Amino acid sequence: MKINTLRTVIREFALEDAASVLSLNSDPTVTQYTADNSSILTLNDAQTVISNIWLREYALYGYGRWAVLDNQTHKVIGFCGLKYIPEVGLLILVIDSYPNIGETATQLRRH
C-alpha cells in the first residue's frame, strides 16, 4: 500500500524504518496519545515491533499502522492507520441477496 499526496507519502513500515520508529517513540509529544512510549526503548525494540507486530498485522489483517513520509526528504515524520485491537470488531452487514460477503441480516439474526 502506498499513497502519494502533495506533501506526504503514506506506506507500510519496513525494517529499515526502525531508527525513525525509535525516534518517534522517544518523543513525548508523539507518545502522549499512544500507549507506545514504554515498548520501544532501543533500536532492537523498534525492529521487533515492526517485524513481529506491524508486518504481521499487514499479512494477517491487510492493514496496520503506516509510515508517513515527507514527500521532499522521504524522512518518516509520523504514522497513521489502524491498530488491531481484539476487543473491537468490524461488523459488515449486507442484504441477503449477496451471500458470502460479510454477515447477512439472516446470519446476524441467528447470533
Side-chain angles (χ1 to χ4, degrees), residues 11 13-27 30 40 42-43 46-47 50 54 67-69 74-79:
R11 62 157 171 79
F13 276 101
L15 283 175
E16 296 77 27
D17 298 319
S20 296
V21 170
L22 176 61
S23 177
L24 285 170
N25 281 276
S26 299
D27 183 343
V30 172
I40 301 175
T42 67
L43 188 60
Q47 292 168 333
I50 293 169
W54 298 345
V68 178
L69 289 75
H74 299 283
K75 177 183 176 186
V76 176
I77 58 172
F79 61 87

Side-chain angles (χ1 to χ4, degrees), residues 71-95:
N71 209 1
Q72 300 291 320
T73 65
H74 299 283
K75 177 183 176 186
V76 176
I77 58 172
F79 61 87
C80 67
L82 304 170
K83 178 178 181 178
Y84 176 74
I85 302 172
E87 297 83 26
V88 178
L90 174 64
L91 174 63
I92 300 172
L93 174 65
V94 295
I95 59 175

